[in-house]
Amino acid sequence: MSVARPARSLLGRCLSSSRSTPAITTLPSRNLHTSAPRSSRKPRFRNVKAEELGLVKPDRSVKPEEMAKYQKEFFSEYSAEDLEKLKAKYTPEQLEALKAGEQAIDTQDMIIQGRLRDDPYTPDYIEDYSVLDPRYDLKPELEGTPREVSWPDHSEWIDNYGKKMMGITDKKTSDQLTRAMVRAMRRVKESTGQELIDLTEDELKDMEADPELAKRYLIEEDGPEPDANATGPEFMTRAQAMQLDEAIDVEWRKELDKIAEFSNQGEVEPTSLELLQDGPAGIDRLHSAEAADLGKVPGVKGLYKHAVDPDDQGQDDAGKFQEIKRLTGMSLKDIRSLLTKSLVTRWVSNQTRLGKVRSTSVVAIAGNGNGRLGLGMAKSTEPGVAEETAQMLAIRNMKPIRRYENRTIYGDVSAKVSGTVVELMSRPPGFGLRAPHRIFEMCRAAGIHDIAARIPRSKNPMNSVKATYHALTHQPDPEQIAIGRGKKLVDVRKVYYGGSVY
């Protein structure tokens, strides 16, 4: 026993132990799983109770005024305008079912037992679970009905397949003609047949969107024929009927002419999806115990490997020039006739944590030799890819170059890029191209035959090419200068030589 402990602590412990009740021993327990214990999960959205909205008293009795106000705001009755809209959308039987459903549900129970969310993530619709969402709802199981397996030979299968495709083509053709008839009826209704055609504009639009709806307006052949002598406001006279038939026939012929002139043959042919569905691996296999064939589907051959452009005559089987043809609108023959050349080639490297990644940078030009010149720059780890890409970019970037008498430039031009200065001077006929080799190639590609050039300062290859291209594309325009000075421009050479200067 420690003498430092005070005596009153010992006395208090003895008194407390004598007054305390005997402890109840509890058996040790453990969870049936190895996961750590977790507190109750907090709901994601705030739960708003009816008491917080002031609709229910603490004793769970309803406040009539507040409840009526809340019902009118969120669960109001249908107005006369709403009922008219429902009548236009639903049949009388469906409207009666809606009214019965509204009467069967007590809005007060919905307000007390369920709450409308008012948090920032509240959706802007009320889910009625009438449509399955494939992201959340389960896909309904389709019960297949096996049937007796048939083993047709190749010719029999081809005949059945052709009949199906012919039926699809006939249906599409019929739908196309029905749409043409509906458009003709709409045009006649807008012009002269407002009272003779009793179909509304919405009904005509629905018939054009779904030609199957036209069957409900057709008279069955087996049914009773209308009386020809019947009279009344709902019947037309024979003259009116003949006039209406002639007007519709004229407009229908116009629509048929449009279809024959502008229609595409693919509109009436079976689509690729229909070819697959009716083929050996189509949806028809759902009702069959026969395994799907492993061979090719007839009719699909050649649909996925697109043939090369027939205008190329087999000269671009790899499709290398298809993109540049689409961008420039030029034919393969015109592209191959262009003069392309790589002027600058540099070997560059990029320092990474894996070491130096070496690449090739290429500057190329392209021209047609008749006043158009383009510049392209590309970089790649493969020199051939870089050169080809630079040439394609140069073809895409070709711009017109102004030429005096289709042989030289207009006056003296200079351009500066970084420390490189390029000076270009026009020269008389027969002077030739007296310039450095890179400027020589650019002038020859652009169709310039008489020029002098010099680079007095830095001879950097890339900067010299860029400066030359800038100088050629930014030449002074004498006509614009004359217009700015208010003078009349006259070419003395053409006057002196009578226009024969070429």
Side-chain angles (χ1 to χ4, degrees):
M1 173 176 156
S2 176
V3 296
R5 182 176 297 176
R8 61 177 181 272
S9 62
L10 297 176
L11 180 60
R13 179 176 296 180
C14 294
L15 293 176
S16 62
S17 60
S18 61
R19 292 194 301 265
S20 60
T21 58
I24 301 175
T25 59
T26 58
L27 295 176
S29 62
R30 62 186 180 87
N31 297 327
L32 297 178
H33 52 81
T34 58
S35 59
R38 185 178 58 180
S39 59
S40 59
R41 182 177 296 176
K42 186 179 179 181
R44 183 179 178 186
F45 304 105
R46 184 172 62 90
N47 186 16
V48 183
K49 298 181 179 180
E51 292 86 348
E52 299 178 9
L53 294 176
L55 305 177
V56 181
K57 298 178 182 179
D59 57 352
R60 305 298 297 175
S61 60
V62 179
K63 297 181 181 180
E65 297 180 358
E66 287 77 1
M67 181 64 70
K69 182 179 179 181
Y70 193 85
Q71 284 179 335
K72 185 177 181 181
E73 182 179 358
F74 293 99
F75 299 94
S76 59
E77 298 291 338
Y78 284 124
S79 61
E81 184 179 355
D82 296 338
L83 291 175
E84 291 296 331
K85 292 182 180 179
L86 292 176
K87 288 180 181 179
K89 186 176 182 181
Y90 299 103
T91 62
E93 293 79 7
Q94 294 175 342
L95 192 58
E96 290 295 333
L98 290 175
K99 291 181 180 179
E102 292 285 345
Q103 295 176 359
I105 299 175
D106 189 2
T107 57
Q108 184 172 335
D109 293 341
M110 294 179 62
I111 294 173
I112 296 176
Q113 299 179 13
R115 297 258 35 88
L116 292 177
R117 287 172 51 181
D118 57 353
D119 54 274
Y121 303 97
T122 305
D124 55 353
Y125 61 92
I126 297 178
E127 179 62 62
D128 57 353
Y129 301 103
S130 61
V131 180
L132 293 179
D133 192 335
R135 297 174 297 175
Y136 316 114
D137 303 324
L138 296 177
K139 183 179 180 180
E141 297 182 359
L142 297 177
E143 297 181 0
T145 306
R147 63 188 180 187
E148 187 177 355
V149 181
S150 60
W151 305 95
D153 55 6
H154 183 70
S155 60
E156 185 179 356
W157 186 91
I158 290 295
D159 294 339
N160 297 335
Y161 186 74
K163 290 180 181 178
K164 292 180 181 179
M165 296 298 104
M166 186 64 68
I168 294 175
T169 304
D170 293 343
K171 184 179 181 302
K172 290 189 174 183
T173 305
S174 177
D175 293 346
Q176 192 176 28
L177 296 177
T178 304
R179 292 190 180 96
M181 176 62 72
V182 172
R183 290 193 294 268
M185 293 175 62
R186 181 188 293 114
R187 195 171 301 169
V188 172
K189 180 180 176 63
E190 293 175 355
S191 59
T192 59
Q194 190 70 26
E195 298 178 354
L196 301 180
I197 300 178
D198 56 351
L199 296 175
T200 62
E201 186 66 24
D202 295 337
E203 290 176 345
L204 292 175
K205 289 182 180 178
D206 295 340
M207 289 172 59
E208 186 176 1
D210 186 8
E212 293 293 333
L213 297 178
K215 294 181 179 179
R216 66 175 65 176
Y217 301 103
L218 298 178
I219 300 176
E220 298 181 359
E221 296 181 358
D222 299 337
E225 296 183 358
D227 188 6
N229 299 324
T231 58
E234 67 275 9
F235 297 100
M236 291 188 300
T237 61
R238 184 178 297 274
Q240 291 177 341
M242 294 180 62
Q243 180 183 0
L244 182 61
D245 290 343
E246 292 178 358
I248 293 178
D249 187 58
V250 171
E251 296 296 336
W252 190 44
R253 292 183 182 278
K254 292 181 180 179
E255 292 292 335
L256 292 180
D257 294 340
K258 291 182 181 179
I259 292 175
E261 184 176 359
F262 299 104
S263 65
N264 186 8
Q265 189 65 21
E267 295 179 358
V268 296
E269 293 180 352
T271 61
S272 300
L273 183 60
E274 292 170 344
L275 292 173
L276 289 173
Q277 286 180 348
D278 292 322
I283 198 173
D284 186 59
R285 291 296 175 183
L286 176 65
H287 306 285
S288 175
E290 181 185 356
D293 296 337
L294 299 180
K296 294 184 178 180
V297 180
V300 184
K301 183 179 179 182
L303 293 181
Y304 299 102
K305 291 184 178 180
H306 298 285
V308 189
D309 191 354
D311 297 337
D312 297 344
Q313 299 178 355
Q315 299 181 6
D316 186 22
D317 294 335
K320 183 174 64 174
F321 295 96
Q322 298 303 317
E323 183 65 17
I324 196 66
K325 284 172 56 180
R326 184 185 67 84
L327 294 175
T328 59
M330 303 171 61
S331 63
L332 181 62
K333 182 178 180 181
D334 296 337
I335 294 175
R336 286 184 173 274
S337 65
L338 298 176
L339 176 62
T340 59
K341 191 174 184 64
S342 299
L343 297 184
V344 182
T345 302
R346 299 185 306 157
W347 289 269
V348 296
S349 61
N350 182 23
Q351 183 68 45
T352 64
R353 62 192 182 104
L354 301 178
K356 291 184 178 181
V357 180
R358 301 186 181 277
S359 304
T360 304
S361 178
V362 178
V363 179
I365 60 169
N368 63 349
N370 191 20
R372 294 188 69 87
L373 181 66
L375 182 67
M377 293 176 285
K379 183 170 65 174
S380 177
T381 55
E382 296 292 336
V385 175
E387 182 177 1
E388 181 181 348
T389 306
Q391 292 177 0
M392 293 298 174
L393 291 175
I395 295 174
R396 189 191 68 177
N397 299 332
M398 283 197 305
K399 295 181 180 180
I401 303 298
R402 301 184 70 254
R403 298 179 300 165
Y404 175 66
E405 295 179 352
N406 293 335
R407 61 174 185 80
T408 185
I409 61 175
Y410 282 85
D412 299 342
V413 189
S414 64
K416 179 178 181 296
V417 174
S418 188
T420 302
V421 176
V422 174
E423 297 177 356
L424 304 178
M425 291 78 73
S426 61
R427 287 295 182 261
F431 186 83
L433 298 176
R434 305 183 188 182
H437 64 284
R438 294 186 180 89
I439 302 178
F440 177 90
E441 296 293 344
M442 296 180 69
C443 293
R444 187 176 65 168
I448 298 175
H449 310 294
D450 303 309
I451 197 173
R454 66 191 187 97
I455 307 176
R457 294 178 56 182
S458 173
K459 308 294 191 297
N460 183 274
M462 181 170 288
N463 291 341
S464 62
V465 172
K466 290 182 179 179
T468 304
Y469 186 72
H470 184 272
L472 291 175
T473 54
H474 292 79
Q475 299 180 40
D477 189 356
E479 294 182 357
Q480 295 295 330
I481 297 175
I483 292 174
R485 296 179 181 179
K487 303 293 184 178
K488 181 180 179 181
L489 181 65
V490 177
D491 193 341
V492 179
R493 280 175 50 80
K494 290 184 179 181
V495 174
Y496 183 80
Y497 291 106
S500 301
V501 295
Y502 299 110

